[in-house]
Amino acid sequence: MVKPSIKSVSELAGKTLATPQLANTQDVALKYFLKQEGFTVNGKATKNVNVIAQDNAQSLQLFQQGAIDGAWLPEPWATRLVKQGGGKVLVNEKTRWPKGQFVTTNLLVSTKFLQEHPQTVRALITAQVKTAEQITKDPSGSAKQLDAALTKLNGKALPAGVTAAALKNLTPGWDPYAASLRGSAEHAESIGLLKKTDLNGIYDLSILNSVLKSQGLKQVSDAGLGQESK
């Protein structure tokens, strides 16, 4: 998301953009994108972009004040920059991945917990699958429920329409898009934020695929990074 005055990617030179946290998903995505487009980051070259890591709420405030030129953020903050900050979408990350599919959040438990409490993990995964199905089936009603939950959690409601608009930019589901995790790791290595990392064994999708099979849903792949079934 950027100021409306920025018409093309080439106009990012000399601008300041924000990400939520150093080396997090969005930080890696932005810096890799900039490298692919021939920019330097936080340097002194002519074609340089300054990237700062800061809290999402602060990014919104600074964008509204004109102190930053844009940001690469997760939802609902991306939508908030548009609706509350008057920004526009310059690059949609979906265009950077095969079929527009990539993971932003994976559900994790420790190996120890998985081994000791498999039924608890199964119950958690089952609930997650049902929740994703419900959001897909009834996005409007789900947006209202999310608004109520977020208001209770944060003590303050999001601006009207933000949650519903943000959900349109997401694909709630259970597929970890494992290949994209490998891709993201490679991107982080490319820009110097991660050393060469072996991801083999990071996934155990056996319980997930068991749940999916029991519900007549298509099973998912670990892209060779772990275990799909037992």
Side-chain angles (χ1 to χ4, degrees), residues 10 39 73 75 103 123 128 131 151 165:
S10 63
F39 292 95
L73 303 177
E75 293 292 0
V103 64
Q128 195 272 328
T131 299
T151 299

Side-chain angles (χ1 to χ4, degrees), residues 23-192:
N24 88 324
T25 304
Q26 290 76 38
D27 191 59
V28 169
L30 173 58
K31 290 174 180 175
Y32 183 75
F33 167 76
L34 293 173
K35 180 179 180 179
Q36 293 298 102
E37 295 294 323
F39 292 95
T40 59
V41 173
N42 298 338
K44 297 181 180 180
T46 301
K47 196 175 179 181
N48 181 74
V49 178
N50 294 312
V51 177
I52 57 175
Q54 58 190 10
D55 180 80
N56 290 324
Q58 187 178 11
S59 292
L60 173 59
Q61 294 173 354
L62 293 178
F63 187 71
Q64 291 171 322
Q65 296 166 2
I68 60 174
D69 301 291
W72 194 295
L73 303 177
E75 293 292 0
W77 295 100
T79 294
R80 294 188 70 173
L81 253 68
V82 173
K83 286 187 169 293
Q84 295 176 257
K88 70 173 186 179
V89 177
L90 181 66
V91 178
N92 187 327
E93 191 172 353
K94 289 181 179 180
T95 64
R96 313 295 295 183
W97 293 94
K99 299 181 181 181
Q101 298 174 331
F102 63 99
V103 64
T104 55
T105 305
N106 271 319
L107 175 63
L108 305 177
V109 297
S110 71
T111 301
K112 183 175 184 292
F113 188 88
L114 176 61
Q115 293 172 344
E116 295 179 353
H117 306 283
Q119 293 308 312
T120 300
V121 174
R122 185 181 182 88
L124 176 61
I125 290 174
T126 300
Q128 195 272 328
V129 170
K130 290 182 177 179
T131 299
E133 286 187 305
Q134 180 60 28
I135 293 174
T136 301
K137 180 181 178 181
D138 182 18
S140 178
S142 297
K144 293 178 181 178
Q145 292 183 17
L146 281 169
D147 273 330
L150 289 170
T151 299
K152 183 178 180 180
L153 181 65
N154 300 322
K156 183 178 180 181
L158 288 175
V162 166
T163 302
L167 280 179
K168 293 179 180 179
N169 297 325
L170 302 173
T171 304
W174 45 83
D175 192 329
Y177 297 126
S180 72
L181 182 68
R182 188 205 306 271
S184 185
E186 291 172 350
H187 297 170
E189 292 167 8
S190 172
I191 58 178

